[in-house]
Amino acid sequence: MEDYTLVQQFLLIGLDGTDSRHKSVAKSAVLRAAAAGKRAERLLASGDCQSPGFADKLEKEMKTVKSLKTEVLNKEAGEDIGILISRGALDEVPDLLGCDMYYDTAGVDLMVYRSDQDIYQKVTEALRAELLEEGELTDDGILLLWMIRESGFIHEIFSAKEQEEISQKMVRMAASGQWTGVLWNQEFHKAFESLGTAFLRKKKKLFQNPYMQGINLTFPFLERRQAVFVDFVIFGTTVSDRRTAMMSFLCEHGHFVEEVKNGTETLLKIDNIFYRIVPKTVSCQGIPVQGALLSPVYR
């Protein structure tokens, strides 16, 4: 998109759904990737990406990025985030997790970034079109894909099958273009961030059954999108009734919600992410509580 720089496009999709007020593994990974992207972009713009010394220069820059503290990352991305907010492409809204029964009753104030739905879709669909269709990849497309992969949320944009196709394409690109292979092998995260993104990538491979997606496992704080349980009476109601009740509840809590057909089922698109709604009863201090579980559905 010509209206936004490459890093701004990345921040637009990378920050969506991340904590806007506090430090988190997911947000730190995105901010560090943005810092790495800026440096890689400058090196490519210098015109010596095919030179023998490019690998050393890039590795040196990535070491610098790896050592940056959170305050520096926030400052570096601050101007771009400010531009996105001022133009209405990014805003701050209540976290969907705040609708969860346990968080809602505790009165916890959780806020996250939310990207404009139209702009979010334009950026992601443009990237999908470039990477999944025949033809040469642009430098910007490769850089954006690399930042997304290293931030651990590639599964939000590409399915497991699509990721395999893209991986094969990138292997071919790396073999034919020196700078592409050098970039594709670069990592820049600190140990804990690397653990988090690696865990997410591994988890998505293990849980590709769509009915298992979004389940919070051993380390829920590493998950960008979490399953949410909303309590309301479901006895005697239809599936449509439950969706309507859920949509009303979420709208009252400041979320954009719409029904989207997906084959034979109907999903809920909440802000920029699709969710499946599943009736559920949980036990709270020995008392059964009826409600529904919102489980993220990835591509």
Side-chain angles (χ1 to χ4, degrees):
M1 293 178 64
E2 296 181 359
D3 292 342
Y4 298 97
T5 67
L6 182 68
V7 169
Q8 287 169 359
Q9 291 179 51
F10 169 71
L11 288 171
L12 185 77
I13 57 179
L15 289 177
D16 184 68
T18 64
D19 193 317
S20 59
R21 298 184 178 181
H22 307 96
K23 181 179 178 180
S24 70
V25 174
K27 185 167 72 173
S28 293
V30 169
L31 295 181
R32 202 172 297 280
K38 282 187 176 182
R39 287 160 174 77
E41 195 174 21
R42 282 200 296 266
L43 278 179
L44 293 178
S46 68
D48 66 345
C49 58
Q50 299 296 342
S51 68
F54 175 73
D56 292 336
K57 292 179 181 178
L58 182 62
E59 186 174 356
K60 182 178 179 181
E61 291 286 3
M62 295 306 104
K63 285 183 179 179
T64 299
V65 171
K66 189 174 183 178
S67 66
L68 294 179
K69 295 183 178 180
T70 302
E71 310 86 74
V72 178
L73 295 176
N74 285 326
K75 184 177 180 180
E76 284 201 9
E79 182 178 352
D80 289 314
I81 294 174
I83 291 173
L84 292 173
I85 292 175
S86 67
R87 297 176 64 178
L90 193 70
D91 61 356
E92 188 182 36
V93 298
D95 189 350
L96 179 63
L97 189 61
C99 295
D100 186 276
M101 180 182 70
Y102 297 104
Y103 286 90
D104 189 35
T105 56
V108 179
D109 185 23
L110 302 172
M111 303 295 290
V112 296
Y113 288 114
R114 179 175 65 191
S115 300
D116 178 273
Q117 293 187 49
D118 291 337
I119 303 176
Y120 180 97
Q121 185 172 351
K122 285 179 182 178
V123 173
T124 54
E125 290 306 317
L127 181 64
R128 284 176 53 79
E130 177 178 343
L131 292 171
L132 297 175
E133 294 176 2
E134 295 295 329
E136 292 295 318
L137 303 182
T138 64
D139 291 353
D140 281 359
I142 295 171
L143 271 173
L144 185 54
L145 174 65
W146 173 65
M147 287 188 283
I148 291 172
R149 184 197 69 173
E150 287 301 303
S151 300
F153 66 93
I154 193 171
H155 58 279
E156 295 179 13
I157 302 174
F158 299 99
S159 68
K161 182 179 179 181
E162 290 168 344
Q163 289 178 51
E164 182 60 33
E165 293 177 13
I166 292 170
S167 177
Q168 293 175 6
K169 181 176 287 190
M170 290 308 302
V171 168
R172 293 194 296 270
M173 285 284 295
S176 61
Q178 181 184 5
W179 79 267
T180 306
V182 172
L183 179 74
W184 203 241
N185 289 321
Q186 284 294 328
E187 296 182 355
F188 47 79
H189 289 293
K190 288 187 175 181
F192 189 67
E193 294 167 1
S194 298
L195 171 65
T197 54
F199 178 84
L200 287 179
R201 285 196 290 268
K202 182 178 180 181
K203 190 176 81 171
K204 296 309 170 188
K205 290 180 180 180
L206 292 174
F207 292 85
Q208 292 178 4
N209 181 330
Y211 289 93
M212 291 296 290
Q213 291 172 345
I215 301 301
N216 303 330
L217 300 178
T218 311
F219 304 104
F221 60 89
L222 296 178
E223 180 67 273
R224 287 169 55 92
R225 316 287 183 179
Q226 298 195 40
V228 175
F229 176 77
V230 178
D231 56 312
F232 58 85
V233 177
I234 61 174
F235 182 75
T237 60
T238 65
V239 173
S240 179
D241 292 336
R242 291 192 288 272
R243 277 202 306 270
T244 300
M246 179 66 78
M247 291 175 70
S248 297
F249 176 83
L250 295 173
C251 287
E252 291 171 1
H253 282 68
H255 298 281
F256 297 142
V257 190
E258 62 178 308
E259 293 181 317
V260 178
K261 282 289 185 182
N262 181 41
T264 59
E265 67 176 340
T266 301
L267 303 176
L268 292 183
K269 184 181 179 183
I270 305 172
D271 299 327
N272 291 309
I273 297 296
F274 294 93
Y275 288 82
R276 181 174 287 110
I277 179 171
V278 182
K280 187 177 179 66
T281 300
V282 301
S283 177
C284 182
Q285 295 182 343
I287 302 174
V289 179
Q290 292 185 340
L293 183 74
L294 290 171
S295 177
V297 178
Y298 301 111
R299 292 182 184 269

